[in-house]
Amino acid sequence: MKLTRRDLFTWGGGAAAGLLLTPVPWKLLDDTSIWTQNWPWIPQPAHGPVEVKNSFCSLCPNGCGMRVRMAVGWPVGISGMPHHPVNQGALCPLGFGAHQLNWHPRRLRQVRYHGRASSWTEALVAFQKACAAGSVAIIDGYPGRAASSLFQSFCKQHGSYGVVLCTEERALGPYETWSGVPVTTLGYDLENTGTIVSFGAPLLDGWSAPGRFTRLWSERAAGMADPQLRLIQVEPAQSRTAACAWRWVRIAPGSEAALAAALARALREEHLAPEDTPMPPATLAESAARCCISIEAIRELARTMVARGPVLAISAESNSAVAALNVVLGAVGARGGIVCRRKRAESYAAADSLTGSFSAVLIDSSVPADFNPNIDAEVFRFAGWEGGPGRADWLLPAPGFLEELTDIPTAPASSIETYTIAVALAPPPPEMRSAAQFLAQVDPSAPLVEQVIHARCGQLFHARTGRLKREQSTAVSALDSPEMLKKELCHGAVWVDDPPRAGGIRCRLREWPQPSGAAPCAATWTTAWVPPVLPPLATKLYQESVLRETPPRSAI
Amino acid sequence: MASAVLTDRRWIARGAERTSSARFALWLAPWAALLVLGIYAAGLCLYYGLNQTNMDNRFAFGLWIFLDLSVIALGAGAFFTGFLVYILGRADLKPILNAAVVLGFICYSGAVAVLMVDVGQPLRGWFTFWHPNTHSMLTEVTFCISCYLLVLTLEYIPVLLRNRQLGKGQPAAVFEYRLHHLVPVLAGLGAFLSFFHQGSLGGLYGVLRGRPFAFREGFSVWPSTFFLFVLSAIAVGPSFLMLVTAAVEKLTGRRQVPRELLRRLGFISGILLAVYVAAKSIDTLIWLNVTSPSVGFAPWEHYAYPPFGSALLFIEIVLFGLVPAGLLIYPRTARNRRWLLTGAALACCGILLNRFVMTVQTLALPTLAFDEFLSYIPSWQEVATFGGLIAYGVIVFSLSYRYLPLFGQEKREATDVSGR
Amino acid sequence: MKARYGMVIDVDRCTGCGACMVACAAENNVPPAAQRATARTGITPMLVHKVSDGAEGEDRREAFLPVTCMQCEHETPCVTVCPQQAVQLDPATGIVMQMPQRCLGCRYCMTACPYHARYFNWWDPVWPQGMEKSLNPGVAVRMRGVVEKCNLCHARLHAAQEKAAAAGKRTIDQHDYAPACVEACPTGAITFGNLADENDSVSRAARSPEAFRLLARLGTEPKIYYKSKRPWVRALAEPHTAQSRKEVQHG
C-alpha cells in the first residue's frame, strides 16, 4: 500500500482532532499555569506553624520592644510591643525590616585581619599579646548592659573603659557638667511638658525611641490649632518635625545658640525669668541679628513659649546655650523638664577622652560603625556587618539581630527606669562571637552574661520596687522569687521603676556658657542606628520612592 | 528589461517579471538583519523580563502598545476591502484584495507576536479564554483578534496556494476550490470581528474612568472612542493599502493596479475620513465641555504640559484629518498622484498620532493632585522589536509579491508607472 | 455578615517616617529593590507621598499622604478591565483581591487605576542567600511579569478567620485583624475597620466633615478615607486646584 500525500493529510488531521478529545493538550495547558507560578528560582516561604515571641531590639540603645513572629525557627515578621512604655508598640521604619538584616550580603561571617581572612585563634593570641604588653581600652556604645559590666570589670585590671553615647544622651552633657549628675540617669519628662522648644531635634523623625514622643504628640497635638502639648520647632529648613510642629521658627543655620541666648534675654526683659539666672553677654539685638529674626518676633516667641507651661528646650546635639536656656526656664529638675531617674548612677568616660597609651582598643559591636577612636593602637572591632567607615585592624564577626541574649538598660533620655531581657530568637551563624564571649576566653574567671543577668534579676527582686508590665501590670513585691521575675522578663515583660520624684538635680550655673557643642546636622533617620548597612527593605524608602533622600551614613 | 538571473525561477509565476535573485537578496538583506536584531531584542525581554524596556509603573503601556494599535488600525484595509468586495459587491476593487489580505495578515500576526513579548507572562495567554471577563474590553479584543487572525490565515492560504510550486497537484487545487466558496463567508466574518475589535481597541481607553483625558461617554456599554476607532481604522486602511501599493509600484517600476483603483481607494478613504473628522470633532467638543468638566477638569487643562499642548489636537483633527480628507476627495488633487499619496500619508499620520495620544499622552498626564507629568523614552530593545516587526512585514510582503500573484493585473500592464 | 473593610488616614498625624511602607513590604514578601529599580519601577504597595500647598520659601507647608489601593467599590476600574478576572471585588469583605497567580501581566489594570496603586514585577524577586527563611509563610511570593497591589493584608484576615473558626465562631474578632501598615504607624495615623458597621470608629471618622477621599468625583467610591483639619490638604482630593494651575503657569 502506497502512502500518498492525501493519506498523510487525512491521518495527520485525524490525529490532531483526536488528540483534542484526550486530556493531553488540556492538561499540558493547565500545567503551564502551575509552572508559571512555581518556577524553581522563585523562593518559597517556609511552611509551618507561626508563633509569636517577645524580644527587644538592640540595634540602637533605645531597646524597643518587639513582637517577633517565628516560623520554622526563624523570625519572619516584626511588630511593636504595645505594653512597652518606651516605644508603646511603635517601631522605626528600619525595625520592621530588621529580621532580614542577618542575611544582608555584607554580613560579616569571618574574622578579618587587615582585610584578609583570619581566625578567632589568631585574634585571641594578638589580643592576649596586647594585654600583656600594655593596657587595653574598651569602647562601649551601649553602656549599662550585662556585657558592659563585664567590660568594666575587665578594664579595672587591664585598662580603661570608655563609652560612645548616642546623640540624645550627648545633648544632656551640659547638665552633667553643671550638676554632677551623670547623663545616663537624666531624662526628659515629656509626658508632663506643656511646651517643647526643639532646637533641631528630630522629635518626630528619629529622635529617641519611635513611639515615645510620636504617641504623645499624636494624642495631644497632632493637627490641633490649640494643642495640649505645643511643639515649637527651631530649624533652618522645614524638616518633617518642623512640618508637623505647632510652630516652625526658621533661623539662620548654626544660630541655635544665638536664639537660645536671645530668648533668655527676652524672657528676662519680659520679667518671665528669675532675676538670678545668668544672662548671655550678647544683647538681644545682636543675637536676633545672628539668627536673622526680628527682635519683636523673638519677644513674641518668648511670651508664647511660657504661655503654656511647663516649658522644655531640647537640643539635637550637645548645646550649652540651649541647656542654659533650660536653667533660665527653670526646667532642670522640675516636672515636665529634665529629671533625674535614680539617686546613684554611673558616670562613664567618653571614648574620645581616653588618654594615655594603649596597646589595643576593643570596640564593641554596639558602637556606631563610623566611630573612630583617637587612640593609636591595634583596633579590635566587633561588627555584625562589614563596610563601616571606621577603621579596624581586626574585624571580628559579632552576633547580629536577635542573635544573642542581652539585657536592655533604660533607654537614653527616658523619664522612667526600665529593664528588660532580650532573648535570642535567631540561631547565630557558627563564626559569631560577642565581645563579652571573647573576653571570657581571655579571662576565664570572669562571669558570663547570663550569670550577670541572673544576678541583676536577683537584685531587682530584692529591691521590691517597681512593677512588671505585660498585658497586665504586676508589682515586683507581689512576685514569689527572683526566678519568676527573670522568667517574666525573658517572656517579654518590662520592669518599670516607680516614677522619679521631682528634684534630684540642680545646676550650678554662674554665668552664661561659652558657645560650644556641635551644630545639629539635618534631621536624618535614624541618628542612633548602629550598623553600617540598612535593612534590605529600606530600599522602599530610599530607592523605590522619593520619600527620603539617599541615606547619609549607611548604605543599603 | 534585460533578462534577469533568476535562480528561483520555478517559484515565480510564469510570465511574471521579477528582479534578479541577487538583487532581491540584496533588498532583503538589511531587513533580515533588522529582523534578527528585533528577534534578539525580543529574546532579551523574554529571557530577562520587561525591565529591559523603559516602561514603568506609570507608563505601563509604551511603544509596543502604540505599535500594536497603530498596526492593527493600518491593517484594517484587509477586512474593509473584503467587506467592500464581497458584501457590497465592489468588484472593481478585486485586484487589490490579495495584497490587502497579505498586509492584514502581516499586521495582525506581527501585532500578536509583539503582544506576546509585551505581556509579563506569555505562557498564560490562554487564561483570557478560560476566565473571560465580560466587562473587559481587552477580553473582547483578545477573542476577536485571535479569531480574526485565524480568518486572515484562512484567507491567506488560497493566495499562498496560487504559488507555482505550492499550488501544484490536485489536493492543493481541490483545497483551494473548497476554500473559494468559503471566502465570502470569511470576508463577512472578518468584517464582523474587525468591527468589534477595532472598536474595542478604542473602547480600551474610552472606559477608563480613572483617566479623564481618555474617558468618554457613549452608547450603552460602548464609549464613543469605540466608534471613532472603527471609523478611523476603515478610513485609513485603504490609504495605507494605497501607500503600500504605490511603494511596490515605485520599487518595481511597474504599474500593479489600474490608476483608477488607487483613486477609488483614495476617495473611499477620504469620505470615511471626512465622516471621522466630523464625528471626532463632535466627540471632542462634548468631551471638552461636558464629560471632562463633570469630573473636575477644565477644558484646556489636559493640554497644559508641553510638548503635549493643544496644538496636538488641532494637528490631529485638521492637519492630519481634514486636510487629507480634502486631498483625497477633491477631484483636482485626487487626480494628481503626488497629492493623492500625500493625502494618504497624512491620513496614516493622523491615525498614528491618534493612537499615540490615546496610549502615551493618556498615561503621561497626572491624575492625582500631587502627581507629576512624566515622560518616557523607549529603550533600544523596544525600538529594535518595533523595527523587527516592520522588517518582518517588509520581508513577508516582498516574498509574497515575488512568489505570489498579489496584484492580479500585473501581467497585463507592463508599462512604466511614472506617468500621471 | 458582609463587611466593608476600609481605612481612615489622619494626614495631620502622618510624619512621613515610612514605617508603614517597610512593614507592608515585610508582611507581603515584597523583595528589596533590584539594582536598577527606581521610584518608577519599584514595588511599594503602600507609598507615602510628600505633598505641599504650593507656596515657596518660609510659607511653604508640607504634609505626607500615604497612598495605597483605595479598594474602590463602584465599578472598580481594575476589576472591570482585567481580561481574565485576576482581580475581584470580594463581596464578603469589600477587599479588591488581586490574584497574581492568574495575572497575565498585560498591565491594563495599571492604566485604569487613577491612584497609581498597582505595581508591576519588572524583575524576578531576588533575596540574598538565606534571606528566604525570613519570608512570611502566609503570603505567596510573586514572580516577574505580574501585577500586585495592596490586599489589605489578606493573609492576616485569613489567620483571623482560622482563629475564629477554631474557636467555633462565625465572625472574626476585630482585634485580630489589622493590616501591617495600621499596626506599624508610630503616631496611629491609620484607623482600620469595617465601614459597614456604623459604630466602628472607622465609620464615624469617615463621616466627619474633615474626611475626604481622593478623586471622589470619578465615582469609584474608594474605601480609603483621609482626614485633615487643614483646608489645603483637603483640597488635594481633586486635581487641578488653583494651586496646581498656578504651578502650571509658572512652567
Side-chain angles (χ1 to χ4, degrees):
Chain A
M1 188 175 106
K2 226 168 61 167
L3 199 67
T4 64
R5 214 172 353 172
R6 164 173 270 169
D7 293 330
L8 222 62
F9 280 137
T10 324
W11 283 103
L19 201 63
L20 285 176
L21 292 173
T22 66
V24 171
W26 310 113
K27 190 72 181 68
L28 277 173
L29 253 189
D30 195 45
D31 282 350
T32 59
S33 69
I34 299 173
W35 298 336
T36 58
Q37 292 174 46
N38 292 296
W39 297 122
W41 60 85
I42 305 296
Q44 299 293 330
H47 288 285
V50 172
E51 50 169 336
V52 178
K53 292 197 174 153
N54 289 324
S55 192
F56 299 85
C57 180
S58 53
L59 292 171
C60 87
N62 286 305
C64 297
M66 319 183 117
R67 282 221 181 109
V68 184
R69 293 174 68 233
M70 307 283 299
V72 198
W74 298 96
V76 293
I78 310 264
S79 59
M81 185 193 279
H83 63 257
H84 198 323
V86 169
N87 65 312
Q88 299 169 56
L91 290 173
C92 67
L94 305 174
F96 286 103
H99 60 301
Q100 294 184 329
L101 262 178
N102 293 341
W103 290 277
H104 196 287
R106 298 228 309 246
R107 183 75 203 268
L108 182 60
R109 296 185 186 275
Q110 205 180 29
V111 176
R112 296 256 171 89
Y113 177 64
H114 288 154
R116 61 162 178 78
S118 182
S119 72
W120 281 109
T121 326
E122 289 182 34
L124 196 57
V125 163
F127 190 71
Q128 279 166 331
K129 228 188 261 174
C131 285
S135 54
V136 163
I138 297 187
I139 318 267
D140 188 3
Y142 200 167
R145 297 172 292 163
S148 311
S149 74
L150 293 177
F151 298 154
Q152 283 175 290
S153 47
F154 186 90
C155 285
K156 273 204 191 80
Q157 295 183 353
H158 300 278
S160 306
Y161 173 77
V163 302
V164 175
L165 295 173
C166 59
T167 43
E168 290 87 349
E169 279 178 326
R170 283 204 298 272
L172 292 165
Y175 308 105
E176 178 172 346
T177 316
W178 300 334
S179 70
V181 178
V183 296
T184 47
T185 191
L186 292 175
Y188 298 107
D189 186 22
L190 298 173
E191 289 71 20
N192 293 311
T193 314
T195 304
I196 296 181
V197 185
S198 162
F199 286 78
L203 296 184
L204 290 170
D205 192 37
W207 184 85
S208 184
R212 185 157 171 233
F213 184 67
T214 50
R215 294 267 194 242
L216 205 61
W217 172 79
S218 177
E219 283 165 40
R220 298 186 191 179
M224 300 177 202
D226 185 24
Q228 234 183 312
L229 169 61
R230 291 177 174 181
L231 172 60
I232 300 174
Q233 184 78 0
V234 173
E235 215 160 356
Q238 189 174 168
S239 65
R240 276 167 169 72
T241 313
C244 297
W246 178 67
R247 267 186 68 174
W248 168 40
V249 176
R250 194 193 210 188
I251 54 167
S255 63
E256 285 80 12
L259 182 63
L263 283 171
R265 276 244 173 244
L267 286 168
R268 169 69 63 79
E269 287 174 20
E270 301 274 331
H271 304 291
L272 294 166
E275 292 297 321
D276 59 347
T277 48
M279 278 292 116
T283 62
L284 182 52
E286 284 168 355
S287 300
R290 174 83 181 79
C291 306
C292 302
I293 302 184
S294 72
I295 297 177
E296 198 37 60
I298 294 192
R299 285 195 211 277
E300 194 266 331
L301 179 59
R303 286 192 295 267
T304 312
M305 252 170 66
V306 299
R308 179 163 296 178
V311 192
L312 174 61
I314 299 181
S315 172
E317 262 286 2
S318 169
N319 190 317
S320 46
V322 175
L325 178 62
N326 267 332
V327 175
V328 169
L329 288 168
V332 183
R335 191 171 170 276
I338 293 155
V339 293
C340 165
R341 290 190 302 266
R342 280 179 298 166
K343 276 220 191 94
R344 278 178 311 159
E346 271 194 79
S347 181
Y348 305 112
D352 290 334
S353 69
L354 289 179
T355 52
S357 70
F358 297 94
S359 51
V361 181
L362 189 142
I363 302 181
D364 184 50
S365 57
S366 56
V367 174
D370 56 358
F371 171 80
N372 264 324
N374 289 339
I375 302 167
D376 185 21
E378 200 174 8
V379 177
F380 293 77
R381 193 173 203 124
F382 282 80
W385 298 268
E386 53 181 336
R391 105 186 125 83
D393 296 294
W394 291 91
L395 206 52
L396 305 161
F401 181 68
L402 292 180
E403 278 179 349
E404 66 166 340
L405 171 72
T406 180
D407 59 348
I408 314 271
T410 309
S414 168
S415 55
I416 40 161
E417 281 282 307
T418 56
Y419 184 75
T420 56
I421 298 178
V423 294
L425 290 179
E431 277 295 291
M432 302 305 126
R433 226 172 278 189
S434 69
Q437 287 168 324
F438 183 73
L439 289 177
Q441 286 184 294
V442 176
D443 180 7
S445 66
L448 299 171
V449 166
E450 291 88 343
Q451 292 164 323
V452 176
I453 291 177
H454 189 84
R456 285 181 173 193
C457 289
Q459 284 164 4
L460 268 182
F461 175 76
H462 290 296
R464 310 307 259 169
T465 56
R467 310 185 67 79
L468 269 187
K469 277 191 80 173
R470 266 183 91 176
E471 285 73 25
Q472 274 88 42
S473 180
T474 325
V476 172
S477 46
L479 293 172
D480 291 331
S481 64
E483 283 72 31
M484 198 168 171
L485 178 78
K486 185 174 168 200
K487 184 164 161 261
E488 284 293 309
L489 288 173
C490 286
H491 281 123
V494 180
W495 177 80
V496 183
D497 199 2
D498 303 320
R501 289 183 292 263
I505 169 173
R506 199 196 315 193
C507 280
R508 276 176 267 288
L509 192 64
R510 275 186 221 286
E511 55 180 25
W512 194 263
Q514 291 293 321
S516 71
C521 51
T524 57
W525 189 283
T526 148
T527 49
W529 184 254
V530 164
V533 297
L534 291 177
L537 288 177
T539 56
K540 304 297 157 202
L541 304 177
Y542 293 108
Q543 184 184 348
E544 291 172 272
S545 72
V546 292
L547 188 61
R548 292 189 180 271
E549 293 85 38
T550 330
R553 342 183 281 223
S554 310
I556 299 172
Chain B
M1 198 183 232
S3 63
V5 178
L6 292 157
T7 50
D8 48 357
R9 154 75 49 208
R10 58 191 204 99
W11 290 90
I12 299 175
R14 267 187 218 98
E17 282 187 34
R18 295 286 184 265
T19 187
S20 73
S21 311
R23 269 188 83 190
F24 186 63
L26 212 63
W27 159 251
L28 278 188
W31 298 110
L34 190 56
L35 179 63
V36 167
L37 183 64
I39 292 175
Y40 172 65
L44 282 178
C45 295
L46 288 171
Y47 186 74
Y48 287 112
L50 287 170
N51 55 79
Q52 297 285 302
T53 67
N54 278 348
M55 288 188 282
D56 54 49
N57 293 328
R58 265 296 283 280
F59 283 96
F61 285 170
L63 180 71
W64 288 338
I65 296 293
F66 158 66
L67 171 70
D68 286 335
L69 257 62
S70 304
V71 132
I72 287 178
L74 292 174
F79 89 86
F80 192 58
T81 318
F83 173 75
L84 288 171
V85 171
Y86 288 110
I87 310 295
L88 292 189
R90 290 285 301 260
D92 56 329
L93 295 177
K94 228 172 170 180
I96 212 167
L97 194 51
N98 284 345
V101 163
V102 174
L103 201 55
F105 176 80
I106 289 168
C107 288
Y108 278 82
S109 57
V112 169
V114 169
L115 259 175
M116 284 297 106
V117 183
D118 201 0
V119 295
Q121 292 277 342
L123 285 176
R124 293 184 182 173
W126 59 277
F127 279 14
T128 313
F129 298 97
W130 197 251
H131 305 283
N133 179 1
T134 50
H135 298 286
S136 170
M137 287 281 171
L138 198 51
T139 305
E140 211 281 326
V141 167
T142 312
F143 272 88
C144 284
I145 286 191
S146 312
C147 297
Y148 186 56
L149 187 56
L150 203 60
V151 166
L152 275 172
T153 315
L154 289 174
E155 289 181 340
Y156 190 25
I157 291 177
V159 183
L160 276 176
L161 290 177
R162 300 266 287 282
N163 176 268
R164 194 165 144 188
Q165 294 297 317
L166 291 176
K168 258 195 201 159
Q170 211 197 2
V174 169
F175 184 58
E176 200 216 324
Y177 179 70
R178 293 239 164 88
L179 223 54
H180 207 64
H181 288 290
L182 213 52
V183 167
V185 175
L186 288 176
L189 190 61
F192 174 78
L193 290 171
S194 292
F195 173 77
F196 276 100
H197 74 244
Q198 293 287 355
S200 295
L201 284 172
L204 284 184
Y205 295 93
V207 296
L208 294 181
R209 184 185 279 277
R211 306 267 176 189
F213 181 71
F215 182 68
R216 299 284 189 277
E217 306 286 3
F219 305 105
S220 180
V221 299
W222 297 293
S224 62
T225 46
F226 181 96
F227 305 99
L228 288 175
F229 264 53
V230 179
L231 261 178
S232 59
I234 58 179
V236 91
S239 281
F240 186 58
L241 192 52
M242 204 205 312
L243 283 175
V244 171
T245 311
V248 172
E249 290 184 341
K250 189 77 204 276
L251 280 169
T252 57
R254 196 176 295 124
R255 182 169 306 158
Q256 302 292 342
V257 292
R259 234 172 295 155
E260 199 46 38
L261 181 62
L262 288 186
R263 222 171 286 149
R264 291 225 184 96
L265 273 180
F267 185 73
I268 294 169
S269 186
I271 293 287
L272 290 169
L273 200 57
V275 173
Y276 167 68
V277 167
K280 173 115 182 133
S281 306
I282 296 171
D283 172 70
T284 306
L285 284 170
I286 295 177
W287 167 64
L288 285 175
N289 292 301
V290 178
T291 319
S292 186
S294 74
V295 288
F297 280 78
W300 298 108
E301 293 207 358
H302 294 294
Y303 294 99
Y305 305 94
F308 295 144
S310 48
L312 265 189
L313 189 60
F314 288 113
I315 291 175
E316 190 190 329
I317 296 182
V318 176
L319 182 60
F320 289 157
L322 207 55
V323 166
L327 287 176
L328 293 169
I329 297 173
Y330 187 48
R332 267 281 203 55
T333 48
R335 269 202 291 273
N336 181 312
R337 193 181 171 83
R338 221 166 266 151
W339 282 118
L340 188 70
L341 293 178
T342 309
L346 287 177
C348 291
C349 286
I351 257 51
L352 291 178
L353 183 58
N354 172 259
R355 294 334 188 230
F356 174 81
V357 159
M358 279 315 213
T359 49
V360 178
Q361 188 173 356
T362 307
L363 293 177
L365 294 178
T367 49
L368 292 165
F370 41 91
D371 252 349
E372 283 179 339
F373 171 74
L374 294 174
S375 66
Y376 144 80
I377 313 276
S379 68
W380 77 262
Q381 292 92 332
E382 293 175 83
V383 177
T385 312
F386 189 136
L389 171 60
I390 295 177
Y392 161 76
V394 170
I395 291 175
V396 171
F397 202 84
S398 304
L399 289 173
S400 300
Y401 172 73
R402 187 173 175 81
Y403 299 121
L404 306 172
L406 270 196
F407 303 99
Q409 305 282 310
E410 65 147 322
K411 271 192 276 189
R412 286 183 225 148
E413 308 246 357
T415 53
D416 186 51
V417 82
S418 60
R420 283 174 186 253
Chain C
M1 190 191 107
K2 282 195 188 167
R4 289 172 56 225
Y5 286 113
M7 288 182 188
V8 177
I9 301 179
D10 191 341
V11 181
D12 296 334
R13 283 195 159 79
C14 178
T15 61
C17 68
C20 52
M21 289 176 64
V22 178
C24 165
E27 165 74 22
N28 291 295
N29 290 342
V30 179
Q35 204 176 19
R36 286 189 299 122
T38 64
R40 284 167 67 165
T41 48
I43 303 177
T44 47
M46 166 61 96
L47 176 62
V48 180
H49 293 262
K50 188 197 257 197
V51 297
S52 79
D53 63 348
E56 293 299 329
E58 215 171 293
D59 296 324
R60 185 181 175 86
R61 289 289 168 268
E62 290 178 342
F64 295 92
L65 216 65
V67 168
T68 179
C69 171
M70 298 285 144
Q71 313 290 341
C72 304
E73 265 189 315
H74 177 249
E75 286 184 26
T76 316
C78 55
V79 170
T80 49
V81 302
C82 178
Q84 54 258 357
Q85 299 186 64
V87 57
Q88 305 261 287
L89 176 60
D90 181 5
T93 57
I95 300 179
V96 177
M97 289 291 310
Q98 172 77 15
M99 289 171 272
Q101 293 83 352
R102 200 188 276 184
C103 177
L104 170 68
C106 69
R107 309 185 298 285
Y108 189 20
C109 56
M110 292 172 71
T111 59
C113 179
Y115 304 102
H116 311 307
R118 295 176 144 271
Y119 303 88
F120 187 71
N121 280 273
W122 299 99
W123 286 269
D124 266 321
V126 174
W127 281 271
Q129 198 185 24
M131 210 182 274
E132 41 317 318
K133 293 193 188 74
S134 68
L135 291 177
N136 186 356
V139 178
V141 176
R142 287 76 60 195
M143 75 297 300
R144 72 165 196 241
V146 297
V147 175
E148 61 180 73
K149 68 167 192 71
C150 164
N151 274 353
L152 286 185
C153 287
H154 195 259
R156 293 183 173 206
L157 173 61
H158 200 68
Q161 286 168 337
E162 280 185 338
K163 189 173 166 195
K169 292 191 240 169
R170 298 198 76 195
T171 51
I172 62 166
D173 182 356
Q174 213 36 60
H175 296 294
D176 284 339
Y177 172 41
C181 54
V182 177
E183 225 179 35
C185 181
T187 55
I190 310 181
T191 324
F192 173 80
N194 183 0
L195 288 167
D197 179 3
E198 274 189 7
N199 298 322
D200 195 311
S201 55
V202 157
S203 301
R204 284 201 298 267
R207 289 196 295 263
S208 103
E210 297 156 359
F212 64 96
R213 291 180 293 181
L214 293 178
L215 303 179
R217 259 192 280 202
L218 291 179
T220 53
E221 296 299 316
K223 293 206 291 293
I224 309 294
Y225 289 77
Y226 294 85
K227 204 166 80 132
S228 175
K229 291 187 168 71
R230 293 172 278 182
W232 71 265
V233 172
R234 292 200 295 271
L236 292 170
E238 300 294 337
H240 300 280
T241 55
Q243 159 250 318
S244 64
R245 220 170 275 142
K246 191 169 63 173
E247 276 177 337
V248 153
Q249 272 166 22
H250 292 305

